[in-house]
Amino acid sequence: MDSTVYVGGAIFREGLGSVPGWGIRVEGERIAAVLPDEVLRSQADAHTKVVELDGAFVSPAFTDAHLHPAVGGVDAGRCDLSGVIDARVYLEMIADYARAHPGRPWILGGGWSMEAFPGGTPRKEDLDSVVPDRPVALANRDRHGFWVNSRALEIAGVDARTPDPASGRIERDPDGTPTGTLHEGAADLVLQHQSEATEAEITAGLVASQQMCFSYGIAGWQDAIVGPSSVGPDNLGAYLAAAADGTLKARASLALWWDRERGLEQLEDLLARREQVARLGTGMRADSVKIMVDGVAENFSAAVSAPYLDSHGHQTDSLGLTHFTGAQLKEIVTELDRRGFQAH
């Protein structure tokens, strides 16, 4: 059997990390041997392809089961707060970004951590102190909440009289005034007023995220939301373009977004998107459909069977958010399964 040996670099060995001077022999799709370079070289014959690593490192690769590389990459290319967990530093970073981008009509991005703020809910006044004249909307690390300033709320017309949407919650002071944190679908009240990321920006974000993933040994992923959604703009075009021109080198599995404002009629659109991906013949797949049933526990939007407690331990009347009834889910999942989709 023809084989390939990789020598002249370093390989990963369990318990030892990077081991220079050792290489691997691959036969078919299996690693057949892990040996010192000199042994592999001596065993090579006319049927052996020798790949010189020139000092490069070879490691097993990981596949991430739940990732948002395109949306996350866009945020990272804007006002990126993901590197720290400190409210004071966040404000310094936001102020620096605003000064460096005076022509941006909106300050967008994200990556802040809930633990940096009392109760996990930052306030608009802090943002107002560094960016009083332009709207600011920054996603937290899981993108289930947004930190906005007074200007963003003003543009959206969100005030004490604005009811919570069915899909989210406005964090409020005791008198009903919005504090500056918008949970889940409540963020859409503001985000609908800012311009969507361009396809070029989404593609650049996808490629940047891919490079970061590769640096951690992640060679593939499932993008848990692909399509126009409450989390971000439609990112399918970026995947199609990057896969078609060879820019996308990772193994990508796409979970198409189920629009909860629509019904079973959207199945035809999802089938068309799946076929569009399959026609490329690049190995990229779109066999899953993402159904966001509820929120997350951190902001009390996850659906629960017993009411949440307030900060004093007293029972509230909140059971979180539930976007679908049991009957709806049964119907949707049954139809997805019948069409060969995995329900995510």
Side-chain angles (χ1 to χ4, degrees), residues 21-52:
W22 282 57
I24 59 175
R25 183 172 69 246
V26 176
E27 296 176 356
E29 295 186 352
R30 297 181 65 85
I31 294 176
V34 178
L35 294 166
D37 283 355
E38 59 267 23
V39 176
L40 290 171
R41 291 183 193 278
S42 68
Q43 294 176 344
D45 57 24
H47 301 287
T48 305
K49 178 182 178 181
V50 179
V51 177
E52 296 290 343

Side-chain angles (χ1 to χ4, degrees), residues 16-254:
L16 298 176
S18 175
V19 180
W22 282 57
I24 59 175
R25 183 172 69 246
V26 176
E27 296 176 356
E29 295 186 352
R30 297 181 65 85
I31 294 176
V34 178
L35 294 166
D37 283 355
E38 59 267 23
V39 176
L40 290 171
R41 291 183 193 278
S42 68
Q43 294 176 344
D45 57 24
H47 301 287
T48 305
K49 178 182 178 181
V50 179
V51 177
E52 296 290 343
L53 294 172
D54 296 325
F57 173 57
V58 177
S59 170
F62 299 95
T63 297
D64 195 308
H66 188 123
L67 204 62
H68 300 286
V71 173
V74 170
D75 280 352
R78 292 171 169 177
C79 184
D80 182 15
L81 306 177
S82 61
V84 296
I85 303 176
D86 188 304
R88 179 184 57 80
V89 177
Y90 288 156
L91 293 174
E92 293 173 356
M93 295 169 70
I94 295 164
D96 289 344
Y97 181 87
R99 280 193 294 269
H101 299 86
R104 296 276 171 92
W106 283 71
I107 304 300
L108 302 169
W112 55 272
S113 180
M114 293 177 70
E115 64 194 276
F117 302 95
T121 56
R123 296 188 62 88
K124 62 188 178 188
E125 293 86 358
D126 292 328
L127 279 181
D128 295 345
S129 70
V130 293
V131 187
D133 55 338
R134 281 181 282 169
V136 181
L138 302 166
N140 70 2
R141 291 191 178 185
D142 63 15
R143 242 178 184 270
H144 286 267
F146 273 76
W147 182 14
V148 300
N149 67 348
S150 294
R151 182 66 183 129
L153 293 170
E154 179 186 351
I155 288 173
V158 176
D159 57 25
R161 298 182 301 275
T162 305
D164 287 349
S167 60
R169 190 178 81 253
I170 301 168
E171 198 71 32
R172 304 173 188 269
D173 282 328
D175 66 356
T177 302
T179 65
T181 299
L182 303 174
H183 302 293
E184 305 293 344
D188 293 340
L189 298 172
V190 166
L191 296 179
Q192 64 181 318
H193 295 277
Q194 55 91 20
S195 58
E196 296 277 11
T198 64
E199 188 158 303
E201 190 177 8
I202 298 170
T203 302
L206 174 62
V207 172
S209 289
Q210 174 179 253
Q211 192 57 41
M212 175 178 282
C213 285
F214 286 170
S215 75
Y216 287 105
I218 298 170
W221 58 71
Q222 177 179 232
D223 191 322
I225 295 180
V226 174
S229 71
S230 60
V231 174
D234 192 352
N235 47 3
L236 179 61
Y239 272 106
L240 293 173
D245 68 13
T247 304
L248 181 68
K249 302 182 186 306
R251 294 185 178 186
S253 176
L254 314 182

Side-chain angles (χ1 to χ4, degrees), residues 285-297:
R285 300 177 3 238
D287 298 329
S288 297
V289 173
K290 169 67 172 286
I291 306 172
M292 187 175 284
V293 178
D294 61 348
V296 293

